[in-house]
Amino acid sequence: MRPGDLAWVWNPATQRSSAAIIGDVGPRRHLGEGSLELARRLDLPANARRGGAPRGIVYVLFPGSGDRRPKAANVIDEQVTALVRGLKRECLNLEE
């Protein structure tokens, strides 16, 4: 994964999901934290010091999906929606 790659994130406890973009990278094999906006979208506490969730969040990452540039939220949403549709089609062997 690299900055600009896209993801779909789901909170099973609240049944809320959101598109997301990788903003930065840290140590290998460590996903890191989401933004305050992502926390709001997943109906999690949006507090930089005490918010978020220690576990139970599902991430579907799309390596190589980004162009290493920032994007507007609506563009991220549209691109992740298309990626998720493609993944569903592929996994369920559906044709549109």
Side-chain angles (χ1 to χ4, degrees), residues 28-72:
R28 286 179 57 88
R29 302 193 185 279
H30 181 73
L31 192 54
E33 69 277 346
S35 68
L36 294 177
E37 179 59 25
L38 181 59
R40 286 185 199 96
R41 287 178 172 212
L42 298 178
D43 205 16
L44 292 167
N47 181 297
R49 294 185 191 268
R50 294 176 296 281
R55 65 184 82 65
I57 303 301
V58 176
Y59 297 86
V60 177
L61 306 172
F62 297 98
S65 59
D67 57 11
R68 296 184 181 230
R69 296 188 182 130
K71 294 176 176 26

